Amino acid sequence: ELNYIHWKLQAGKCGLCSSVKACLSACGMACQGLQKGETLASLKRECDNLKKKLEEERGKLNDVELHQVAEKTEVLGALSVKTRRVLKGHGNKVLCMDWCKDRRRLVSSSQDGKVIVWDAFTLNKEHGITLPCTWVMACAYAPSGCAVACGGLDNKCSVVPLSLDKTENLAAKKKSVAMHTNYVSGCTFTNSDMQLLTCSGDGTCALWDVESGQLLQSFHGHTADVLSLDLAPSETGNTFVSGGCDKKANVWDMRSGQNIQSFESHESDINCVKYYPSGDAFASASDDATCRFYDLRADREVAVYQKDSIIFGASTVDFSLSGRLLFAGYNDYTINAWDVLKGTRVSVLFGHENRISRVRVSPDGTALCSASWDNTLRIWA
Amino acid sequence: MQNLLCTNPSFSPVLIHNFSLLSFIYSVALPRMSSKAHSSNNIAHARRTVQQLRIEASIERIKVSKASADLMNYCSEHARNDPLLMGIPASDNPFKDKKPCTIL
């Protein structure tokens, strides 16, 4: 799409190198073709105009605030949720966890390179995998329940099939699927065990074929490390959202690789993004100590979850089954439950002894699991 | 990622992550790269940004009042099936302790 030809501008020469000939080698470097009358300055002006137009268009539709519409909804009482299980076994910070679709198993990964598959009902450790790298920042359970994916500082994301044979060394069957040029910060299977979506400190997201390791699609647009991604609920089609250190949350079309929507209202790194259960909105958690809620059809931020007393970064968010509650984990060791519609805080969950790295509601909504730098996971219900 | 090595929440050392380190090297330590190449990259970047913004500006949007109403409807339709919201009895929740049996 780049034209390597000089266009003659009004003065009869290329605005970039002053050459009067249309020739690639004339100015020693391929001159990115400028359309007639186009200069760097005119492109920058168009950028600014488009950004203004975007703001105007979004502003026109901002006829009311979400919390105002929600005034007629009943106020939520404090949640009667407390710790029901403490999963001990990791020797270092737990960085990530994911539930299995069977609602009882979960996988967790840690700074010491260990990945553990737990039965959350019985606290039984069903599998343990030792990876050669430290800081396993991402882990995910396959939809079939027969494999897990994990990755981190090794710049890779690998898939490990889970064997029924407890004596088998699972690490030996580990298969590298994703290869990034910097750490892998997040991963998720798509709707089958066959495809893996990853995001990385190299600023990109990527879709991989698990069997062949082939890169199916890459997603470029973030200008800094991507820290989190989430797949849209299956009814809403092939999109996903990502968030990162450029303070942006981007929505992508998985098939074309196109960035379809972008939101920039956070004041610091976005650590986590998560879709609302209907797929029409998503929430984000950021180092700016706020969580925010964006509606995709209104194309704007519709709520900010913040309090003057909350000064530490939020690292993770997840919705309850109906989407009414947003659980957010913070670096001050607490989990806050927010009323998504009214924008108020409903409960604070205390218990962890170090920062929260991940919160996830179980697939049937009966429990919340939290992973922490205090080396444990907790189940709240 | 800045706070990767920080365990104490009351102070945060700034850790320059790879990307900003690379940008720093690019802007300072490569004098042999021609300024024309640099400005060509700028044009390509500006072009891509304009194209991206055109796409974003052209999408169809709905009013926040309508979007909010839809979000509220979804919540109320699914509220009764939300165990963490409603609270479900211990007998239905495998994580909650059942009342212990007393052996007489």
Side-chain angles (χ1 to χ4, degrees):
Chain A
E1 97 235 20
L2 298 169
N3 299 313
Y4 290 78
I5 303 172
H6 300 200
W7 289 87
K8 289 189 178 172
L9 299 185
Q10 284 145 350
K13 52 186 177 179
C14 170
L16 206 60
C17 66
S18 301
S19 161
V20 299
K21 292 198 303 184
C23 161
L24 268 183
S25 57
C27 64
M29 153 88 206
C31 196
Q32 313 303 2
L34 296 162
Q35 302 300 321
K36 234 180 172 164
E38 203 180 68
T39 61
L40 189 58
S42 74
L43 281 171
K44 288 219 151 90
R45 267 197 305 277
E46 194 178 352
C47 260
D48 291 336
N49 287 342
L50 281 168
K51 281 186 187 159
K52 268 199 207 96
K53 184 181 176 205
L54 248 181
E55 263 190 61
E56 275 168 26
E57 293 296 313
R58 282 173 169 168
K60 274 185 209 162
L61 300 162
N62 194 24
D63 51 348
V64 73
E65 300 268 341
L66 171 61
H67 65 86
Q68 289 169 309
V69 176
E71 260 159 30
K72 42 193 161 133
T73 325
E74 80 289 357
V75 175
L76 296 177
L79 301 179
S80 59
V81 157
K82 47 185 201 191
T83 303
R84 305 288 173 176
R85 301 279 191 282
V86 181
L87 282 67
K88 295 186 187 176
H90 277 294
N92 213 318
K93 308 177 175 63
V94 188
L95 304 175
C96 190
M97 61 78 44
D98 190 26
W99 286 94
C100 177
K101 282 207 159 78
D102 73 0
R103 299 156 283 171
R104 70 183 281 170
R105 281 174 185 78
L106 54 93
V107 61
S108 61
S109 64
S110 162
Q111 185 195 338
D112 62 2
K114 295 265 197 318
V115 173
I116 300 178
V117 176
W118 312 75
D119 177 332
F121 289 1
T122 63
L123 296 187
N124 191 26
K125 296 181 195 47
E126 300 207 333
H127 303 277
I129 306 159
T130 304
L131 298 177
C133 76
T134 56
W135 290 90
V136 187
M137 294 170 222
C139 64
Y141 227 115
S144 68
C146 299
V148 292
C150 45
L153 273 193
D154 55 355
N155 298 1
K156 296 193 278 198
C157 193
S158 308
V159 174
V160 182
L162 297 176
S163 164
L164 291 170
D165 178 0
K166 298 294 157 75
T167 59
E168 205 173 342
N169 176 15
L170 292 180
K173 300 197 124 178
K174 175 174 75 92
K175 179 202 180 88
S176 291
V177 172
M179 308 283 213
H180 279 278
T181 54
N182 208 329
Y183 61 90
V184 170
S185 49
C187 65
T188 181
F189 286 87
T190 58
N191 51 13
S192 78
D193 286 21
M194 308 278 66
Q195 291 183 350
L196 192 65
L197 193 57
T198 56
C199 59
S200 165
D202 66 15
T204 71
C205 302
L207 180 66
W208 310 84
D209 176 86
V210 172
E211 189 57 46
S212 62
Q214 195 194 349
L215 173 67
L216 298 171
Q217 184 64 262
S218 66
F219 305 88
H220 297 264
H222 279 287
T223 52
D225 307 27
V226 185
L227 298 180
S228 172
L229 55 70
D230 189 39
L231 208 54
S234 39
E235 312 81 50
T236 29
N238 289 326
T239 61
F240 73 94
V241 62
S242 64
C245 294
D246 57 357
K247 311 178 208 169
K248 284 202 189 145
N250 291 338
V251 180
W252 307 87
D253 180 309
M254 264 169 58
R255 275 170 294 209
S256 65
Q258 178 68 46
N259 174 7
I260 34 187
Q261 279 172 282
S262 187
F263 302 89
E264 190 171 1
S265 60
H266 272 293
E267 294 163 17
S268 186
D269 301 2
I270 296 179
N271 295 313
C272 184
V273 288
K274 197 73 174 61
Y275 268 95
Y276 183 76
S278 73
D280 288 333
F282 70 92
S284 57
S286 165
D287 277 350
D288 67 8
T290 71
C291 296
R292 293 175 197 243
F293 191 38
Y294 301 87
D295 187 285
L296 292 171
R297 295 178 309 152
D299 188 38
R300 63 175 296 120
E301 171 193 288
V302 292
V304 183
Y305 308 107
Q306 64 187 342
K307 264 179 121 62
D308 291 342
S309 54
I310 300 175
I311 55 172
F312 287 97
S315 57
T316 175
V317 278
D318 198 5
F319 288 96
S320 69
L321 219 57
S322 66
R324 182 68 193 271
L325 294 170
L326 182 71
F327 293 98
Y330 292 77
N331 294 343
D332 64 1
Y333 315 171
T334 67
I335 299 166
N336 287 342
W338 297 89
D339 180 330
V340 169
L341 303 176
K342 290 186 184 286
T344 52
R345 183 172 63 182
V346 174
S347 282
V348 188
L349 305 180
F350 296 99
H352 276 295
E353 293 163 13
N354 207 321
R355 56 170 73 178
I356 314 296
S357 52
R358 180 91 153 178
V359 291
R360 276 291 175 270
V361 171
S362 67
D364 62 354
T366 52
L368 175 75
C369 179
S370 57
S372 166
W373 282 21
D374 68 6
N375 304 3
T376 70
L377 296 105
R378 280 178 183 242
I379 308 280
W380 310 76
Chain B
M1 278 312 283
Q2 263 84 341
N3 296 324
L4 202 59
L5 303 177
C6 171
T7 52
N8 182 339
S10 64
F11 97 96
S12 337
V14 174
L15 194 75
I16 302 173
H17 54 70
N18 289 346
F19 181 80
S20 55
L21 191 61
L22 275 172
S23 318
F24 179 76
I25 291 172
Y26 176 84
S27 62
V28 169
L30 294 174
R32 57 188 160 82
M33 198 161 182
S34 74
S35 57
K36 289 170 191 127
H38 194 75
S39 44
S40 300
N41 284 341
N42 282 348
I43 289 182
H45 177 75
R47 261 268 188 80
R48 273 196 295 273
T49 313
V50 164
Q51 276 170 333
Q52 180 61 35
L53 285 169
R54 276 189 198 142
I55 291 170
E56 290 179 29
S58 64
I59 66 165
E60 285 186 26
R61 294 176 190 82
I62 64 173
K63 287 191 174 162
V64 174
S65 50
K66 167 91 173 80
S68 304
D70 290 349
L71 291 169
M72 280 176 54
N73 280 342
Y74 187 91
C75 281
S76 54
E77 269 169 39
H78 293 85
R80 73 189 90 92
N81 299 326
D82 187 343
L84 287 168
L85 183 67
M86 291 298 165
I88 56 175
S91 48
D92 293 342
N93 190 329
F95 293 108
K96 285 186 172 168
D97 296 317
K98 318 263 187 292
K99 298 251 183 313
C101 300
T102 321
I103 298 172
L104 296 167

